[in-house]
Amino acid sequence: MPAAHLAGYSLIVFMIGTFASGILFSRISIKHINKNMEKDGVLPPSWDKGIGASVSFYIFSMFFERSRIPTPMFDGRFVAKYSRPIDKVIGVVHLISVTGMMLCLCIVSYFSK
């Protein structure tokens, strides 16, 4: 099997994983974290009106300490504090799926000349 076909099939698998984990993370984890953040008086991002744009911000602030610095767009200090183990598992799956999808997309686009 050529590398382009293998990368194409892997792209489909990673794409399904990305969308599934993105939906799960926004429905389960972000709701839980936002509810606990509101108890501390921190409002969720006002620019995300339920479309899931803040998923990557929450995942990065869970795993990377540098992303927890408060900015005018997002305050990630409380995300790691209120994330549960299931939130971290879904976040890791999403991070791996997005990385794999981007890598496979580059391989497929390189070989599709």
Side-chain angles (χ1 to χ4, degrees):
M1 178 181 293
H5 291 291
L6 181 63
Y9 294 131
S10 299
L11 176 66
I12 293 170
V13 170
F14 283 130
M15 201 179 295
I16 292 169
T18 298
F19 292 131
S21 61
I23 290 171
L24 283 174
F25 192 81
S26 65
R27 299 289 183 199
I28 296 171
S29 304
I30 289 180
K31 283 188 179 183
H32 170 75
I33 293 169
N34 282 346
K35 186 177 12 171
N36 286 322
M37 282 173 50
E38 286 177 0
K39 290 178 184 176
D40 280 347
V42 179
L43 296 175
S46 61
W47 46 267
D48 184 23
K49 298 295 182 191
I51 60 171
S54 63
V55 169
S56 59
F57 286 96
Y58 277 74
I59 289 174
F60 275 106
S61 60
M62 266 196 307
F63 295 116
F64 305 113
E65 194 170 323
R66 191 171 192 179
S67 299
R68 296 180 193 149
I69 299 170
T71 63
M73 273 183 59
F74 179 72
D75 186 6
R77 293 177 293 170
F78 297 100
V79 173
K81 179 180 176 182
Y82 292 121
S83 61
R84 304 169 292 185
I86 188 69
D87 303 331
K88 292 180 181 179
V89 168
I90 297 171
V92 165
V93 168
H94 187 75
L95 204 57
I96 291 171
S97 296
V98 168
T99 305
M101 186 176 75
M102 293 297 188
L103 183 66
C104 289
L105 188 61
C106 291
I107 293 170
V108 167
S109 64
Y110 178 75
F111 284 116
S112 66
K113 289 184 179 180

